[in-house]
Amino acid sequence: MSSSTLVFIITLFCFICTTTQEANSQIFPPNFKFGVATASYQIEGGCNEDGKGENIWDRFTHTSPNKIFDHSTGDVACDSYHKYETDIALLKELGVDFYRFSISWSRILPTGYVDDGINHRGVEYYNNILNLLHQNNIEAMITLYHWDLPQHLHESMGGWLNETIVDIFAKYADLAFHFFGDRVKYWITFNEPNNFCQNGYETAIDAPGLANNLGVDVYTCAHNVIKSHAAVYHMYDKTYRKLQKGKISLILYTKWAQSSTNTHKDFKAAERSLQFQFGWFANPIIKGNYPRIMIERIRERSIKEGFQKSRLPKFTKKEIRYIKGTFDFIGVNHYTTHMVKWIDDIPIGKPSAFKDISVEEYFKDSWKGSGSFWLKVVPCGIRNIAKWIKNTYNNPNIIITENGYSDGEIILHDFDRKNYHKNYLKYLLKAIYNDHVNITGYTAWSLLDNFEWREGYSERFGLYAVNFTDSSRPRIPKDSAEYYKIILKTRHLIS
Ligand code: GBH
């Protein structure tokens, strides 16, 4: 045998070994990062302390208690405004590589406008957190907007429905980069705009709770959010990136949409569902414009409904060039899967975003439930959505920025949560090794049980339990915290 043949055989052998080994690998790639996430309104409390201004969630919980399951508010929540040192000790204990948290806009800018003055005690709060994270070798991932718009902006100019928000948000972001950027590795402009536009301005179940212009405002909100995102991305790029060396993007919520049969129609319906949810934002940011299917369907329905033009706003050519490519990675919040079935288009009548999609979605009876009606455990969904994103958007870098499981009460021996993370991580590894999806990080939602928006304190996602009836808000580790700790230490998926 010639030496080159031998080399060839050995190479082939090694190749087969490594690929089969990789296909079953329980080991996370060397640079893979783990984190946990929280959001300001859900954990901080301190709702009017030290000069913080009111935001739309403060107002919403106070004026519409009936819209919150247990009539609760985030006034105190986990009291992280006072207990951030305890929280960071928990992060240290877990051994996370990064902590994802959000800034309360009205805590540092009480009215939302930079020109109205900065609340330096608010700035100090986030500085303290960042310094402590830094001392503990934990990277920071900051969300600029996790749904808590300053109330004054909502009242004075209409918030996300008014295009002037683009500049106002950019000024807030500029300030955040200026004050905090030297210690921030990842910036997120928006958490799940696909949710807050829908639920804030169409279904009205989240703040500000409006449903004034169905099928219109929801798209206007998104349009202004996308422009705001692009403006902030470019600003970071131009002014801060070189010095601060961070990455910046936005986060989208997405289910996996499983076609209910193998028929062409059901596949089309599942694809449409993903395009209207994820593509709505991902397509502009990655490719420059809304998905063709949205543009066509909404125009067609709008005209039939008697509108002069499409209810979906249009980007100019210049805007398309400006928006395209404004991401360094894609943040994906993934929890669950829906079955999707074709239905004939819902007849023209009163407009709505829901009718624009016209698909039927349901859960399979065999799927295990959780403390949240919308969250069914379907671990392979994370692999399917990751693969779909890779194939649809030319293989972007993905970070899973939220994934987690809820209980309806405090359960310290939370076998179900531990199993949820284990099985979702198992399929995430398959996406990495078998499907070669470029996923570089995973974030558990959440560090703590917290204020779960309209569900109040009745749904608990934390790795640590919080007793909300005790004024000192003690944190108690659940078994899942211990499990996560071992994974982070060994970088290995163990059972
Ligand atoms: C994330 O949203 C949020 O970023 C986070 O703040 C939240 O605590 C966490 O998940 C857990 O919920 O809209 O009535 O059809 C996930 C948002 C909430 C979106 C439930 C889908 C389905 C109910 N999901 N929603 S509905």
Side-chain angles (χ1 to χ4, degrees):
M1 198 189 308
S2 76
S3 66
S4 63
T5 321
L6 191 66
V7 168
F8 174 75
I9 290 171
I10 292 172
T11 317
L12 185 70
F13 182 72
C14 291
F15 177 73
I16 292 168
C17 285
T18 49
T19 38
T20 47
Q21 192 208 346
E22 277 197 350
N24 295 311
S25 184
Q26 305 289 86
I27 303 168
F28 290 91
N31 297 323
F32 193 84
K33 288 181 183 174
F34 287 97
V36 289
T38 62
S40 47
Y41 189 75
Q42 296 181 273
I43 67 160
E44 284 180 3
C47 74
N48 51 20
E49 259 174 89
D50 293 343
K52 174 180 163 293
E54 189 188 17
N55 63 47
I56 56 172
W57 271 93
D58 292 319
R59 180 63 66 94
F60 189 67
T61 54
H62 287 158
T63 55
S64 315
N66 291 332
K67 289 203 171 186
I68 312 296
F69 177 78
D70 54 7
H71 301 182
S72 62
T73 70
D75 289 2
V76 181
C78 306
D79 198 23
S80 291
Y81 187 62
H82 298 110
K83 295 184 70 102
Y84 66 92
E85 288 166 302
T86 311
D87 292 346
I88 295 172
L90 301 182
L91 297 170
K92 187 73 188 163
E93 192 175 287
L94 283 172
V96 292
D97 301 305
F98 66 92
Y99 177 41
R100 177 180 164 228
F101 63 102
S102 80
I103 294 179
S104 160
W105 185 345
S106 66
R107 193 180 290 291
I108 64 172
L109 295 172
T111 66
Y113 294 103
V114 174
D115 295 344
D116 286 344
I118 297 165
N119 177 30
H120 286 284
R121 282 171 298 180
V123 173
E124 192 187 318
Y125 172 62
Y126 297 108
N127 265 331
N128 291 342
I129 292 178
L130 285 168
N131 291 341
L132 207 50
L133 288 174
H134 186 74
Q135 280 166 32
N136 284 286
N137 241 323
I138 299 167
E139 290 176 346
M141 179 186 278
I142 294 191
T143 314
L144 287 167
Y145 188 78
H146 201 125
W147 310 357
D148 41 3
L149 185 77
Q151 177 67 22
H152 179 70
L153 285 184
H154 174 63
E155 280 170 26
S156 63
M157 49 72 68
W160 299 111
L161 300 183
N162 181 338
E163 201 188 331
T164 62
I165 193 85
V166 178
D167 277 346
I168 302 171
F169 181 71
K171 283 189 177 146
Y172 156 56
D174 194 6
L175 195 80
F177 297 153
H178 171 79
F179 279 133
F180 309 127
D182 57 336
R183 288 150 292 163
V184 180
K185 183 88 183 196
Y186 304 94
W187 286 102
I188 306 294
T189 51
F190 293 98
N191 179 66
E192 298 184 351
N194 47 354
N195 268 320
F196 77 72
C197 287
Q198 179 89 36
N199 292 334
Y201 302 96
E202 173 109 357
T203 65
I205 57 181
D206 286 342
L210 301 181
N212 294 337
N213 247 322
L214 298 188
V216 177
D217 287 355
V218 56
Y219 298 129
T220 308
C221 168
H223 207 66
N224 292 328
V225 163
I226 292 166
K227 286 185 186 176
S228 305
H229 166 80
V232 169
Y233 182 93
H234 285 295
M235 183 197 6
Y236 189 77
D237 223 27
K238 245 211 225 118
T239 318
Y240 295 97
R241 187 191 292 280
K242 235 178 118 194
L243 224 71
Q244 303 187 341
K245 301 187 177 63
K247 292 186 173 184
I248 176 163
S249 190
L250 87 178
I251 288 177
L252 301 176
Y253 172 81
T254 186
K255 69 200 169 200
W256 165 243
Q258 179 64 47
S259 155
S260 74
T261 68
N262 278 332
T263 60
H264 178 62
K265 275 186 158 182
D266 285 338
F267 269 109
K268 266 179 81 171
E271 176 71 17
R272 182 153 86 225
S273 169
L274 289 173
Q275 289 296 350
F276 268 79
Q277 180 189 245
F278 189 81
W280 182 18
F281 291 83
N283 223 78
I285 279 146
I286 301 174
K287 300 183 176 174
N289 203 349
Y290 294 116
R292 179 190 290 254
I293 186 136
M294 283 188 79
I295 297 175
E296 285 172 358
R297 286 182 67 88
I298 299 170
R299 191 203 300 122
E300 200 186 303
R301 292 186 70 91
S302 305
I303 300 304
K304 285 187 188 156
E305 287 154 357
F307 287 82
Q308 296 294 313
K309 55 179 189 175
S310 180
R311 288 180 275 104
L312 183 71
K314 238 177 140 156
F315 292 119
T316 63
K317 288 219 171 76
K318 203 173 147 202
E319 284 168 344
I320 288 175
R321 279 196 305 274
Y322 185 72
I323 291 162
K324 184 176 174 177
T326 52
F327 66 99
D328 299 328
F329 60 92
I330 295 294
V332 173
N333 289 355
H334 175 78
Y335 289 85
T336 198
T337 291
H338 293 206
M339 298 300 294
V340 181
K341 202 172 151 56
W342 169 280
I343 52 168
D344 292 335
D345 284 0
I346 300 175
I348 299 298
K350 267 176 78 183
S352 95
F354 175 74
K355 291 186 198 166
D356 290 339
I357 314 175
S358 291
V359 294
E360 184 187 321
E361 308 211 355
Y362 62 94
F363 297 122
K364 271 193 172 169
D365 291 338
S366 58
W367 290 343
K368 191 192 153 3
S370 69
S372 310
F373 77 90
W374 55 271
L375 203 177
K376 308 291 175 195
V377 183
V378 191
C380 62
I382 200 167
R383 177 180 182 182
N384 291 328
I385 190 68
K387 235 186 332 187
W388 181 84
I389 295 171
K390 176 190 176 198
N391 295 334
T392 313
Y393 302 102
N394 194 21
N395 198 18
N397 175 202
I398 295 172
I399 298 179
I400 302 298
T401 37
E402 281 181 33
N403 177 243
Y405 179 85
S406 64
D407 288 314
E409 59 193 317
I410 294 191
I411 299 178
L412 294 178
H413 299 304
D414 57 341
F415 179 78
D416 290 341
R417 180 169 298 98
K418 177 187 147 192
N419 240 11
Y420 180 96
H421 286 289
K422 183 180 88 189
N423 289 323
Y424 273 73
L425 282 169
K426 179 172 126 195
Y427 279 95
L428 180 131
L429 283 172
K430 287 186 197 290
I432 294 175
Y433 289 125
N434 297 49
D435 310 325
H436 309 286
V437 184
N438 181 13
I439 309 175
T440 53
Y442 177 85
T443 320
W445 181 271
S446 174
L447 174 65
L448 306 170
D449 288 343
N450 58 46
F451 179 78
E452 178 54 21
W453 308 112
R454 69 196 92 103
E455 307 303 336
Y457 298 99
S458 69
E459 294 181 9
R460 295 167 173 270
F461 280 87
L463 299 176
Y464 290 82
V466 176
N467 180 352
F468 295 104
T469 54
D470 184 328
S471 63
S472 69
R473 297 293 190 274
R475 283 93 161 113
I476 309 150
K478 301 180 189 176
D479 288 353
S480 55
E482 298 301 326
Y483 178 68
Y484 203 46
K485 205 189 287 182
I486 297 170
I487 291 181
L488 269 52
K489 196 166 193 171
T490 60
R491 305 281 148 168
H492 207 112
L493 188 63
I494 49 141
S495 10

